[in-house]
Amino acid sequence: MDKKLTYADSGVDIHQEESTISNLTGGMTYSREGLGAPITSIGHYAGLMDFGDFALAMATDGVGSKVLIANEMKKWDTVGIDCIAMNVNDLIAIGAEPVSFVDYLAIEKHSDEFARQIGEGLAKGAEISRMSIVGGETATLPEIIKGFDLAGTCLGMVDKDAIITGEKVTEGDVLVGVPSSGVHSNGYTLVRKIIGNSDYSYHDPLPYDSSRTIGEELLTPTRIYMEVLDAIHKCEVHGLAHITGSGLLKLRRVSELGFDFTDPIEPPEIFRFLQKKGNVEELEMYRTFNMGMGFLLIVPPHEAKNVAEIVNGKIVGRITEKDIRVKDLIIE
């Protein structure tokens, strides 16, 4: 394959997505005052609202096109974990502790076994997150939905003086990366394009691990980073980032300073397999996938070792003046 495959080629243009978001939110100018007034502007990982001595945090997200692989494999017991993880990790990225969750399941048709497995995953994700599922909505939409879509909204809370938005990040701060469990729940439009154009199917064994199929590996649920809250409570932390869609470009939500990854986490083999089969350039990989680092903490140098131990992560680099770099690669 001579053509270098990109996320945009598969149907997701991250730059056009930014334009859509800008147009969508451009007219959202009204702000409530008093109790419930917004503390942060739209665009961070989670929205914060004033609630007296503390702030309420909200995030909403879904599983995305990973559900299509779940349908192909007829294995739906992990996507509920993904749904909760994508929301909870965004709350953690602003310093908030998850409290409760509501889900939204849109389906083409009913199946008891399918519903049981979806519920099993949601229950497991809520247990890991130490929060309650307090409600939800199931919609049967055969004229709109082909298969199913799963999304949810998470509510969290944080003391006002413990909110972490990145304003304290400074040059010389240390980057502590926390490993991902795999591809998580982002970039699957490109993943499916790669597998669809290859000689493989989701039911084939992994070339590097014949004990698992490609589909099983790709359905590995997103890691939920509750241990990051432990680090926040015990150490000084200046910034947090949940590495999701658009990869390291997400770091611009935290700071406009530079991120120099001199010793990045080694990407799991699934990323190199996808890169090779899709003929995807290294730059495109790092601005599409988490590449083995699902969460990042930005801390002062004296806290780096302790934080790395608490989250079972590693020191991967430092904050610099400009650019996002992975060794000699500039992510832009």
Side-chain angles (χ1 to χ4, degrees):
M1 182 188 296
D2 294 324
K3 179 176 172 55
K4 301 290 186 181
L5 196 59
T6 67
Y7 204 11
D9 291 334
S10 66
V12 180
D13 188 325
I14 58 176
H15 298 296
Q16 185 58 54
E17 195 171 83
E18 290 173 359
S19 176
T20 297
I21 292 169
S22 177
N23 280 281
L24 176 66
T25 61
M28 298 180 183
T29 57
Y30 174 78
S31 293
R32 178 186 173 92
E33 297 180 357
L35 201 65
I39 295 175
T40 54
S41 59
I42 294 173
H44 212 286
Y45 284 99
L48 288 175
M49 297 157 288
D50 190 327
F51 216 74
D53 294 335
F54 57 91
L56 295 181
M58 291 187 72
T60 189
D61 206 343
V63 182
S65 64
K66 188 174 184 175
V67 302
L68 297 174
I69 300 177
N71 277 341
E72 173 67 25
M73 299 296 294
K74 299 191 183 306
K75 177 176 167 47
W76 304 285
D77 60 334
T78 60
V79 292
I81 301 175
D82 287 305
C83 185
I84 285 181
M86 296 305 293
N87 284 279
V88 166
N89 290 340
D90 276 358
L91 288 189
I92 293 172
I94 208 164
E97 180 176 355
V99 175
S100 58
F101 188 85
V102 293
D103 64 271
Y104 174 74
L105 176 64
I107 57 175
E108 181 182 5
K109 59 183 180 180
H110 290 274
S111 164
D112 289 346
E113 175 59 20
F114 161 79
R116 185 194 67 76
Q117 290 193 34
I118 293 291
E120 178 183 331
L122 288 170
K124 181 64 174 178
E127 179 183 352
I128 296 170
S129 306
R130 303 193 293 267
M131 69 175 183
S132 305
I133 297 177
V134 296
E137 173 70 13
T138 300
T140 309
L141 303 168
E143 294 177 314
I144 300 174
I145 297 293
K146 300 304 175 185
F148 76 101
D149 188 28
L150 179 63
T153 299
C154 191
L155 176 69
M157 59 186 295
V158 57
D159 289 338
K160 284 182 178 176
D161 60 2
I163 295 169
I164 300 173
T165 58
E167 74 279 356
K168 294 181 180 179
V169 173
T170 186
E171 285 187 55
D173 278 351
V174 176
L175 308 176
V176 177
V178 192
S180 68
S181 55
V183 186
H184 283 184
S185 296
N186 298 101
Y188 275 78
T189 302
L190 178 54
V191 167
R192 292 185 300 104
K193 184 81 168 181
I194 291 170
I195 300 300
N197 288 348
S198 75
D199 296 329
Y200 289 94
S201 80
Y202 297 117
H203 302 278
D204 289 332
L206 283 164
Y208 55 86
D209 181 4
S210 60
S211 68
R212 304 189 75 194
T213 65
I214 293 171
E216 288 171 337
E217 175 67 24
L218 291 172
L219 288 177
T220 301
T222 305
R223 180 174 172 181
I224 298 174
Y225 293 95
M226 294 299 288
E227 61 271 45
V228 171
L229 292 177
D230 296 330
I232 293 169
H233 295 152
K234 296 176 181 178
C235 305
E236 181 183 353
V237 176
H238 289 170
L240 300 163
H242 178 204
I243 311 302
T244 59
S246 70
L248 293 183
L249 294 175
K250 274 288 193 298
L251 297 177
R252 286 294 170 237
R253 288 186 174 187
V254 180
S255 177
E256 289 298 321
L257 289 170
F259 294 75
D260 189 9
F261 294 92
T262 53
D263 187 21
I265 292 173
E266 184 67 24
E269 289 184 89
I270 184 61
F271 291 104
R272 296 310 182 192
F273 167 73
L274 292 169
Q275 183 177 18
K276 181 179 179 181
K277 290 302 167 185
N279 196 26
V280 183
E281 291 185 339
E282 188 83 346
L283 173 61
E284 188 70 9
M285 293 294 292
Y286 273 100
R287 62 185 183 188
T288 302
F289 301 111
N290 67 65
M291 293 299 282
M293 185 180 70
F295 212 95
L296 182 71
L297 298 92
I298 306 164
V299 303
H302 69 274
E303 294 280 26
K305 184 178 179 181
N306 288 338
V307 168
E309 289 177 355
I310 292 170
V311 300
N312 195 25
K314 64 173 283 191
I315 295 171
V316 293
R318 288 184 177 271
I319 293 291
T320 56
E321 182 181 359
K322 63 177 184 178
D323 295 331
I324 299 172
R325 292 178 174 269
V326 179
K327 295 185 177 179
D328 295 327
L329 191 69
I330 298 179
I331 312 300
E332 55 185 7

